[in-house]
Amino acid sequence: MSFSRFCASLLSVALMFSAAPSARAAHEAHTEPKIQVGIVLFDGVQIIDFSGPYEVFGAAGFGVTTLSVDGKPVTTAMGLKVTPDLAFAAAPAFDVLLVPGGDVGDASKDPRILEFVRARTKGAKAVLSVCTGAAIAAASGVLDGLKATTFKPYLDKFAKDFPKVNVVRDVRWVDNGTVITAAGLASGIDGALHVVARLRGVEVARSTAVRLEYDWKPEGGFVRSLLADRYLPNLNDVRWPADAKFEDRYAYGDRDQWRARILVRAATKPKDLLALIAARMEQAPGWKKDAAGAVWHAQQEGRSVRLAFTTEGDGADGKGYLLDVALDAQ
Amino acid sequence: MSFSRFCASLLSVALMFSAAPSARAAHEAHTEPKIQVGIVLFDGVQIIDFSGPYEVFGAAGFGVTTLSVDGKPVTTAMGLKVTPDLAFAAAPAFDVLLVPGGDVGDASKDPRILEFVRARTKGAKAVLSVCTGAAIAAASGVLDGLKATTFKPYLDKFAKDFPKVNVVRDVRWVDNGTVITAAGLASGIDGALHVVARLRGVEVARSTAVRLEYDWKPEGGFVRSLLADRYLPNLNDVRWPADAKFEDRYAYGDRDQWRARILVRAATKPKDLLALIAARMEQAPGWKKDAAGAVWHAQQEGRSVRLAFTTEGDGADGKGYLLDVALDAQ
């Protein structure tokens, strides 16, 4: 039994017509020339940043070629080893250039990568960066004067590092005409679908998403930076105890609430830790303490926001105690 | 500048506490032992089937090891070359086994893969198949008597090929306790998040999804097989003209509507093609022709369904004509 036709076929319509002799060759002979995509790979690249778009472009019938500076294998951020198709020097012309992110500390300083991105942006129909790939695009100069977004936790630093870029915080991707930047990680799938829509029409992009069993929202969809942790006050300058170790247990939410739990290992007792936080909260602009205790209220963007800090356990067993953060916006 | 801490850190809470000396080591010292995941790779594997879950497990702090029969590089369904970490023979114990899909025609008949999946399912905390990876799991016997789902276009053949499996069609993933099967392609991301929820709690899974900027729905989410093309009649036995070539242009929809466009190249004129379809529709159980022409109505699952076939162009220029299919359920 062969499943290759399932994977090779763009759409499921041909299956409806599967008695037709040519149904298996459903998208072999496109009238339009095949769109060619080049994917820039480098050590530290985040897997989903390039693999999500790779899958999208492939399913849309685009040709995909992976590239690295010298054509040698790269090790991704999580350790997976990938052998690119070609070195930059051997790369043919591309319609679309994909610049993924990950650990881009080296890549965003590598003049060979920056020069390649700069050169190939000229004449490209679309250049898509994903996640911290925006730092590579920005460092190459192709985002100067343009709108761009990136991975949520990197937004502030990105804006500081690249003052010529107009950083946008409330979108899943932003399109300047040719250069498109997607937010973090999985957002690359959406950005790639948007590129398909731009080059082949929104119907083909929708078809591709359906094929990938992906719930694409052509108008935007899930925006990480709009979740309710945006209402949290800046607690960076709390004077944490020198011996304190914090270990994230979880942090999640939606646009209306945020829940976080942190394991704390410190000689400082829970109530003293809460007192440290309270002292900082007293200074936080707009926040007012509730009579009930470690609960604060603020008005933000016309919403009533409640923030509570609580602890669980006393750490007497040396295993630490839990600090819970609960934010609700109404 | 280094971005590695963004990628290495599970959650964003630590950033809130970024002045804390140990914040960068936020999840180095988990109290619980690290969960280990083994990913089975093979020639023809679909990129997103393994890369989506790889990213999820990595972001959740799990250890991930890629494997192939002999440890040699594999070529994915779309041509990407990946070098696995280990051969099956060198694989340590795993808590979680991932069985991705793709072109599994060979893999689902390879006794070394089937034996590995069978052996490693014993004692595993979770085994997750993605897309047509369900065929590998089923061929290995580990789905006998259990519920399973797969890639939408493969559901019917899967049920036929593996009569001992209870095929489920209306879910994004189905969990039997240990063995979990996800639907097609991107569904693997959701299936992997479900595994994280099972092993570390739903809060950690939600945190991981937020981290990946992925809109996870713990209760299910997007289900490809529930889209409105399920109401389409079976047109497999239409006697298509022998010279007809069909080329999918698009096919997409939601639970209430379906739109498909097919480029037709055939000597048969558009009106004669519509007549062929009409002749078949006359036989389709439950469908009634509208007085208006090539429009049919049916009642399905308590819904009123309308199906229209129209054509555009006459193909006189040799470039074919378009056949449009529009289905609406109310």
Side-chain angles (χ1 to χ4, degrees), chain A residues 42-88:
Chain A
F42 47 86
D43 286 329
V45 67
Q46 199 77 18
I47 304 173
I48 203 167
D49 288 15
F50 73 90
S51 65
Y54 193 131
E55 192 76 41
V56 168
F57 292 134
F62 294 10
V64 180
T65 304
T66 51
L67 308 156
S68 71
V69 168
D70 51 13
K72 289 183 185 162
V74 301
T75 303
T76 72
M78 289 178 174
L80 184 73
K81 284 179 189 61
V82 175
T83 304
D85 296 312
L86 295 173
F88 285 170

Side-chain angles (χ1 to χ4, degrees), chain B residues 140-161:
Chain B
S140 80
V142 305
L143 285 174
D144 285 358
L146 299 183
K147 290 181 189 169
T149 197
T150 184
F151 184 41
K152 160 73 165 64
Y154 177 52
L155 277 166
D156 287 341
K157 189 165 185 335
F158 181 60
K160 205 175 142 195
D161 287 345

Side-chain angles (χ1 to χ4, degrees), chain A residues 11-330:
Chain A
L11 310 171
S12 52
V13 188
L15 295 168
M16 189 172 110
F17 292 149
S18 60
S22 63
R24 292 190 179 208
H27 72 139
E28 275 175 7
H30 266 290
T31 318
E32 299 167 275
K34 200 167 191 172
I35 291 171
Q36 294 296 336
V37 182
I39 297 182
V40 176
L41 297 180
F42 47 86
D43 286 329
V45 67
Q46 199 77 18
I47 304 173
I48 203 167
D49 288 15
F50 73 90
S51 65
Y54 193 131
E55 192 76 41
V56 168
F57 292 134
F62 294 10
V64 180
T65 304
T66 51
L67 308 156
S68 71
V69 168
D70 51 13
K72 289 183 185 162
V74 301
T75 303
T76 72
M78 289 178 174
L80 184 73
K81 284 179 189 61
V82 175
T83 304
D85 296 312
L86 295 173
F88 285 170
F94 295 112
D95 304 292
V96 178
L97 190 70
L98 181 80
V99 184
D103 183 355
V104 298
D106 289 339
S108 66
K109 288 193 206 102
D110 187 326
R112 299 166 299 179
I113 293 176
L114 302 184
E115 176 51 33
F116 185 77
V117 170
R118 197 157 39 228
R120 293 312 187 98
T121 297
K122 290 171 191 152
K125 293 189 176 84
V127 176
L128 172 65
S129 75
V130 179
C131 197
T132 53
I136 299 175
S140 81
V142 305
L143 284 174
D144 285 359
L146 300 182
K147 291 180 188 170
T149 196
T150 185
F151 184 42
K152 161 73 163 66
Y154 177 52
L155 277 166
D156 287 342
K157 188 164 188 335
F158 181 59
K160 204 175 144 195
D161 288 345
F162 301 103
K164 291 183 184 172
V165 178
N166 302 322
V167 178
V168 184
R169 291 164 184 273
D170 56 355
V171 294
R172 192 148 174 90
W173 69 85
V174 57
D175 183 350
N176 294 286
T178 299
V179 185
I180 301 153
T181 51
L185 302 137
S187 315
I189 299 173
D190 305 67
L193 286 164
H194 174 70
V195 170
V196 172
R198 276 273 309 279
L199 302 183
R200 285 289 195 234
V202 72
E203 297 91 350
V204 173
R206 281 182 182 274
S207 301
T208 305
V210 163
R211 178 79 190 167
L212 297 182
E213 304 198 3
Y214 184 73
D215 191 17
W216 185 48
K217 301 281 193 289
E219 304 311 322
F222 180 81
V223 178
R224 169 63 187 90
S225 53
L226 293 180
L227 301 192
D229 59 331
R230 62 206 290 258
Y231 301 123
L232 287 170
N234 183 349
L235 294 179
N236 282 355
D237 54 356
V238 172
R239 293 196 179 191
W240 301 112
D243 71 323
K245 290 188 193 308
F246 299 101
E247 187 183 299
D248 298 332
R249 280 301 167 86
Y250 57 74
Y252 68 90
D254 54 28
R255 293 190 183 195
D256 303 320
Q257 58 160 306
W258 192 256
R259 296 288 178 267
R261 168 168 284 188
I262 301 144
L263 177 70
V264 183
R265 287 194 183 88
T268 306
K269 296 288 178 201
K271 72 172 172 53
D272 298 324
L273 190 85
L274 289 176
L276 281 174
I277 293 170
R280 178 64 190 82
M281 285 301 297
E282 300 284 350
Q283 315 294 324
W287 288 92
K288 280 182 192 144
K289 194 174 181 176
D290 193 290
V295 177
W296 283 263
H297 295 275
Q299 290 292 320
Q300 290 189 48
E301 303 170 13
R303 305 187 75 179
S304 176
V305 185
R306 180 189 190 274
L307 176 61
F309 296 90
T310 52
T311 58
E312 192 180 314
D314 60 6
D317 58 2
K319 290 183 181 169
Y321 52 89
L322 297 169
L323 171 64
D324 283 323
V325 182
L327 182 146
D328 293 272
Q330 284 186 322

Side-chain angles (χ1 to χ4, degrees), chain B residues 205-278:
Chain B
R206 281 181 181 273
S207 301
T208 305
V210 164
R211 179 77 189 167
L212 296 182
E213 304 197 3
Y214 184 72
D215 191 17
W216 185 48
K217 303 280 191 291
E219 304 311 321
F222 180 81
V223 179
R224 169 63 186 92
S225 53
L226 293 181
L227 300 192
D229 59 330
R230 62 206 290 259
Y231 300 125
L232 287 171
N234 182 348
L235 294 179
N236 282 355
D237 53 358
V238 172
R239 292 195 179 189
W240 302 111
D243 71 322
K245 292 190 192 304
F246 298 102
E247 187 183 299
D248 297 331
R249 280 302 167 86
Y250 56 73
Y252 68 90
D254 54 28
R255 294 189 183 195
D256 302 322
Q257 58 160 306
W258 191 257
R259 297 287 178 267
R261 168 168 285 187
I262 302 144
L263 177 69
V264 183
R265 287 195 183 88
T268 306
K269 295 288 178 201
K271 74 172 172 53
D272 298 325
L273 192 86
L274 289 176
L276 281 172
I277 293 170

